[in-house]
């Protein structure tokens, strides 16, 4: 009998056909799995689960006694209780590497847009307010030659820093759990304690994963250390930052501008002031959202789950401890 895979997320027809060669595949269409009765009904039969933005609860796991593997279509897995999966012998697979460069492009787009006021001034033109030559009131700040402070210096952090150092002549500082000597060598990057980095950098970019340690890592105290001319970019996860403190820091002029791809609550609440602040560039969590990259992420998830359910080691395995060769 074929094993059963439950899919919640966008797979191409070719990818669905690839899964269908070896598995029984059920695609769920609800906005979120939790809102989809068909998804919940199918859990008891599922051997594999593919999805993006999955928030896995112990109740789901109790309802899925046959589950062998979960493949998230993302590199982050903050909504998934990894230790609980490991305890139950369920493999967790993610999609690193294939989204690194695209997400770094989005991060750098936010650095440029917030520094040079691209969105605010495009709106100025759209409104018909461009009536005379622009002056000081429309000036932004340079990116070229500035000091870039990376909070998190893994795959995406390094790719953003590479753009800054090699493309924009930037000096790179980083704060990261472990030292990165190869990147120090490649980019001339210097490691700093986070407080020193906040004080020294002109542009700060967050790329740490959301964990118990990094939740609300950046708040009022950290914003108070930044230069008033500073630019703050978050391309990681919204809950790494205390959003109310960021809003206050922007209002008080402790931080000049922010570029945000991620928020504490997504989609962003209609009550949030952030999209209405002229010095904020807010994007709808599009870090990896290009056709090519989303297809590559889905393909990685398909390959991961196929391998896991056929007894082969998945390409990107998060919980090595759960792997039984
Ligand atoms: P990664 O390669 O694992 O990099 C994360 C880095 O953060 C690592 O270098 C890690 O240090 C460091 N780190 C972890 N905990 C830390 C802490 N408490 N203090 C300081 N540094 C810490 O991951 P990645 O592929 O770059 O992705 C990073 C995150 O970006 C993902 O987890 C995801 O949440 C987010 N993301 C967002 C989007 C988007 O659409 N906006 C897209 C993709 C990813 P070590 O090297 O010492 O382990």
């Amino acid at each position: 009998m074929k094993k059963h895979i439950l899919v919640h997320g966008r797979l191409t027809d070719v990818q669905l056909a690839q899964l269908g060669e070896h598995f029984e595949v059920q695609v769920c269409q609800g906005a979120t799995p939790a809102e989809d009765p068909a998804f919940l009904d199918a859990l008891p039969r599922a051997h594999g689960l593919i999805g993006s933005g999955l928030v896995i609860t112990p109740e789901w796991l109790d309802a899925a006694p046959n589950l062998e593997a979960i493949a998230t279509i993302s590199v982050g897995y903050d909504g998934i209780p990894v230790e609980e999966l490991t305890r139950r012998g369920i493999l967790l697979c993610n999609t690193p590497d294939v989204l690194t460069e695209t997400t770094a492009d989005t991060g750098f787009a936010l650095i440029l847009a917030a520094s040079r006021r691209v969105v605010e001034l495009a709106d100025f033109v759209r409104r018909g307010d461009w009536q005379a030559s622009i002056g000081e009131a429309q000036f932004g700040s340079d990116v070229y030659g500035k000091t870039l402070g990376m909070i998190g210096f893994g795959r995406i952090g390094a790719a953003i820093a590479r753009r800054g150092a090699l493309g924009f002549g930037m000096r790179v500082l980083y704060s990261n759990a472990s030292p990165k000597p190869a990147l120090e060598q490649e980019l001339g990057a210097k490691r700093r304690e986070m407080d020193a980095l906040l004080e020294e950098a002109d542009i700060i970019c967050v790329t740490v994963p959301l964990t118990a340690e990094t939740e609300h890592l950046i708040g009022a105290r950290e914003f108070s250390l930044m230069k008033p001319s500073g630019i703050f970019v978050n391309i990681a996860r919204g809950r790494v930052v205390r959003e109310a403190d960021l809003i206050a820091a922007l209002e008080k002029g402790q931080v000049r501008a922010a570029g945000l791809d991620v928020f504490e609550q997504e989609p962003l609440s209609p009550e949030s002031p952030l999209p209405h602040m002229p010095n904020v560039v807010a994007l709808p969590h599009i870090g990896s959202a290009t056709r090519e990259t989303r297809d590559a992420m889905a393909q990685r998830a398909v390959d991961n789950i196929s391998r896991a359910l056929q007894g082969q080691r998945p390409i990107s395995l998060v919980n090595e401890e759960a792997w039984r060769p």
Side-chain angles (χ1 to χ4, degrees):
M1 208 180 67
K2 283 181 171 179
K3 288 185 176 173
H4 191 102
I5 296 182
L6 204 46
V7 176
H8 187 278
R10 177 187 161 273
L11 299 186
T12 65
D13 291 345
V14 173
Q15 289 163 347
L16 286 171
Q18 183 187 334
L19 285 177
E21 280 176 27
H22 300 286
F23 309 104
E24 193 188 319
V25 183
Q26 181 174 343
V27 180
C28 299
Q29 309 287 7
T32 67
E35 290 164 7
D36 188 342
F39 181 91
L40 300 175
D41 285 351
L43 277 176
R45 291 192 300 283
H47 297 92
L49 190 56
I50 294 190
S52 51
L54 290 171
V55 179
I56 305 274
T57 63
E59 292 73 38
W60 278 21
L61 296 176
D62 289 343
N66 297 312
L67 199 60
E68 296 174 26
I70 297 176
T72 175
I73 312 175
S74 64
V75 66
Y77 44 84
D78 35 275
I80 304 179
V82 185
E83 281 178 20
E84 182 60 26
L85 293 192
T86 304
R87 202 179 62 73
R88 295 175 187 240
I90 299 170
L91 302 179
L92 174 62
C93 318
N94 67 343
T95 64
D97 306 315
V98 292
L99 50 57
T100 297
E101 298 300 334
T102 296
T103 308
D105 283 349
T106 309
F108 218 85
L110 284 172
I111 289 174
L112 287 168
S115 301
R116 298 298 307 274
R117 303 170 57 181
V118 170
V119 176
E120 178 191 355
L121 295 176
D123 283 346
F124 170 86
V125 175
R126 203 191 319 267
R127 282 195 309 269
D129 288 348
W130 187 25
Q131 304 288 349
S133 298
I134 61 103
E136 200 157 337
Q138 287 81 36
F139 288 174
S141 51
D142 275 342
V143 173
Y144 182 85
K146 290 294 181 73
T147 298
L148 176 62
M150 298 303 309
I151 298 180
F153 210 35
R155 290 170 291 248
I156 295 169
I160 292 174
R162 213 167 268 122
R163 283 159 177 71
L166 306 180
F168 289 77
M170 297 177 89
R171 178 171 165 253
V172 176
L173 306 177
Y174 74 97
S175 161
N176 192 70
S178 62
K180 301 286 175 184
L183 289 169
E184 291 183 15
Q185 182 83 22
E186 178 192 347
L187 303 175
K190 301 254 183 309
R191 190 169 182 215
R192 292 279 190 275
E193 293 300 327
M194 193 169 76
D195 284 5
L197 176 144
L198 291 165
E199 285 172 347
E200 217 179 314
D202 301 302
I203 297 170
I204 285 160
C205 183
V206 180
T207 63
V208 284
L210 175 61
T211 63
E213 273 180 26
T214 63
E215 180 156 20
H216 291 159
L217 181 70
I218 318 275
R221 195 189 72 82
E222 288 69 32
F223 289 121
S224 75
L225 297 175
M226 284 181 61
K227 297 179 184 180
S229 56
I231 306 291
F232 180 78
V233 169
N234 186 3
I235 186 78
R237 285 289 184 265
R239 274 161 47 209
V240 175
V241 176
R242 279 188 196 279
E243 209 162 271
D245 293 354
L246 170 62
I247 292 165
L250 287 161
E251 283 170 345
K252 282 191 272 186
Q254 281 179 323
V255 175
R256 188 178 75 67
L260 307 170
D261 187 43
V262 286
F263 301 88
E264 280 186 337
Q265 185 193 323
E266 294 180 8
L268 197 52
S269 152
E271 275 90 58
S272 172
L274 286 167
H276 310 291
M277 297 174 80
N279 53 347
V280 171
V281 180
L283 297 178
H285 199 148
I286 58 158
S288 63
T290 63
R291 183 166 297 282
E292 301 91 322
T293 295
R294 286 291 169 86
D295 285 353
M297 290 163 67
Q299 186 62 48
R300 173 65 64 87
V302 164
D303 293 341
N304 277 334
I305 205 91
S306 301
R307 292 178 68 93
L309 296 189
Q310 290 174 319
Q312 297 165 324
R313 193 187 181 289
I315 302 164
S316 331
L317 180 58
V318 173
N319 54 349
E320 290 285 344
E321 313 88 296
W323 171 241
R324 301 273 175 276

